[in-house]
């Protein structure tokens, strides 16, 4: 379990009030620490990627029928290519932490600044990143970000992968602190999460989170 902590850090955090906004939107905004993306932005990127791919398929294979590879229907949401395209504006790259069929490499998380994670076969994105030198997970299903002690990050990420999450490294220049209004953080004392509570964009207090 991650230990509890009161950090008082300024953190930008969004929650899913009506559960209609895809979690990919909240994940990107947590990564960038501000309300920079909406669902319409990612939809526009999806359409652009689909049109480009459709034209290529039509040119190479004379295929007219096409089904989007960049958006999961049935509520599964946006795929990683959409997030990669969205982050190009900020010169930020995301790559798989452990590419499929590749040998796992040792990652020095002290040298990293952020990761984003996708639960396989679900529209469920979350962001794990440093703010002011401390690691937090920004899960839009919960009312506040959760502090993850630095020494625990490797085991924490390993537990996510074992539970079916695909983890992506984020490389590029990120803001170290939030420029948005902030509130004092909540802290947990037993290493567990509070019950999910949807809400509007807000600044959550920091507590401890279990390793899922």
């Amino acid at each position: 379990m991650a230990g509890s902590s009161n950090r008082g850090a300024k953190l930008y955090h969004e929650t899913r009030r009506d559960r209609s906004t895809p979690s990919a939107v909240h994940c990107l905004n947590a990564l960038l620490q501000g309300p920079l993306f909406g669902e319409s932005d990612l939809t526009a990127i999806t359409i652009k990627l689909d049109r480009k791919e459709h034209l290529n398929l039509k040119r190479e294979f004379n295929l007219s029928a096409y089904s989007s590879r960049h958006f999961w229907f049935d509520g599964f949401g946006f795929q990683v290519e959409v997030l990669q395209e969205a982050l190009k504006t900020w010169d930020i790259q995301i790559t798989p932490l452990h590419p499929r069929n590749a040998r796992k490499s040792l990652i020095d998380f002290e040298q990293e600044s952020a990761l984003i994670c996708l639960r396989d076969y679900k529209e469920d994105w979350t962001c794990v990143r440093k703010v002011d030198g401390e690691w937090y997970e920004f899960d839009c299903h919960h009312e506040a970000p959760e502090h993850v002690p630095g020494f625990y990050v490797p085991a924490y990420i390993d537990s996510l992968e074992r539970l079916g999450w695909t983890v992506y490294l984020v490389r590029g220049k990120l803001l170290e602190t939030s420029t948005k209004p902030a509130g004092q953080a909540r802290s947990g004392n037993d290493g567990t999460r509070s019950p999910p509570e949807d809400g509007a964009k807000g600044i959550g207090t920091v507590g401890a989170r279990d390793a899922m």
Side-chain angles (χ1 to χ4, degrees), residues 50 53-54 57 64-71 73:
D50 284 346
E53 186 168 274
H54 189 195
L57 289 173
S64 56
Y66 177 76
S67 179
S68 175
R69 285 197 319 108
H70 304 105
F71 184 85
F73 293 94

Side-chain angles (χ1 to χ4, degrees), residues 3-9 134 136 147 184-189 205-208:
S4 64
S5 176
N6 271 320
R7 301 289 165 178
E134 295 289 335
Y136 302 92
H147 178 249
Q184 186 62 31
R186 173 186 65 83
S187 65
N189 57 13
T205 358
V206 181

Side-chain angles (χ1 to χ4, degrees), residues 45-47 49-54 56-57 66-73 76-82 84 118:
I45 292 171
T46 301
I47 292 171
L49 292 175
D50 284 346
R51 285 176 175 169
K52 181 178 179 180
E53 186 168 274
H54 189 195
N56 289 338
L57 289 173
Y66 177 76
S67 179
S68 175
R69 285 197 319 108
H70 304 105
F71 184 85
W72 286 306
F73 293 94
F76 288 158
F78 297 101
Q79 295 197 31
V80 64
E81 292 87 357
V82 177
Q84 287 173 324
L118 172 65

Side-chain angles (χ1 to χ4, degrees), residues 19-180:
R19 297 187 180 274
S20 63
T21 301
S23 63
V25 173
H26 300 308
C27 176
L28 286 177
N29 288 340
L31 178 66
L32 298 172
Q33 285 293 280
L36 299 174
F37 284 100
E39 183 175 2
S40 60
D41 300 310
L42 298 193
T43 299
I45 292 171
T46 301
I47 292 171
K48 182 180 76 170
L49 292 175
D50 284 346
R51 285 176 175 169
K52 181 178 179 180
E53 186 168 274
H54 189 195
L55 286 174
N56 289 338
L57 289 173
K58 189 173 183 180
R59 185 181 303 115
E60 294 183 26
F61 304 105
N62 197 30
L63 297 177
S64 56
Y66 177 76
S67 179
S68 175
R69 285 197 319 108
H70 304 105
F71 184 85
W72 286 306
F73 293 94
D74 300 325
F76 288 158
F78 297 101
Q79 295 197 31
V80 64
E81 292 87 357
V82 177
L83 280 69
Q84 287 173 324
E85 186 71 19
L87 290 170
K88 284 182 179 179
T89 303
W90 280 268
D91 196 24
I92 293 172
Q93 300 81 40
I94 55 178
T95 57
L97 177 64
H98 295 129
R100 294 186 186 279
N101 302 321
R103 182 178 179 181
K104 285 192 174 183
S105 58
L106 293 177
I107 304 296
D108 183 0
F109 286 100
E110 290 187 3
Q111 302 302 316
E112 302 298 334
S113 58
L115 307 104
I116 59 174
C117 314
L118 172 65
R119 189 191 297 269
D120 288 351
Y121 309 113
K122 292 186 179 181
E123 198 288 299
D124 200 359
W125 286 95
T126 189
C127 171
V128 183
R129 65 155 292 176
K130 281 182 183 175
V131 179
D132 289 341
E134 295 289 335
W135 285 93
Y136 302 92
E137 182 181 4
F138 296 83
D139 185 342
C140 64
H141 297 291
H142 298 272
E143 63 180 17
E146 303 286 348
H147 178 249
V148 183
F151 72 87
Y152 186 66
V153 171
Y156 189 75
I157 296 303
D158 185 62
S159 71
L160 290 177
E161 290 186 309
R162 285 188 281 107
L163 289 168
W165 292 76
T166 300
V167 180
Y168 298 89
L169 283 171
V170 177
R171 297 283 171 76
K173 187 173 178 58
L174 296 172
L175 290 176
E176 277 297 309
T177 57
S178 172
T179 57
K180 305 301 173 185

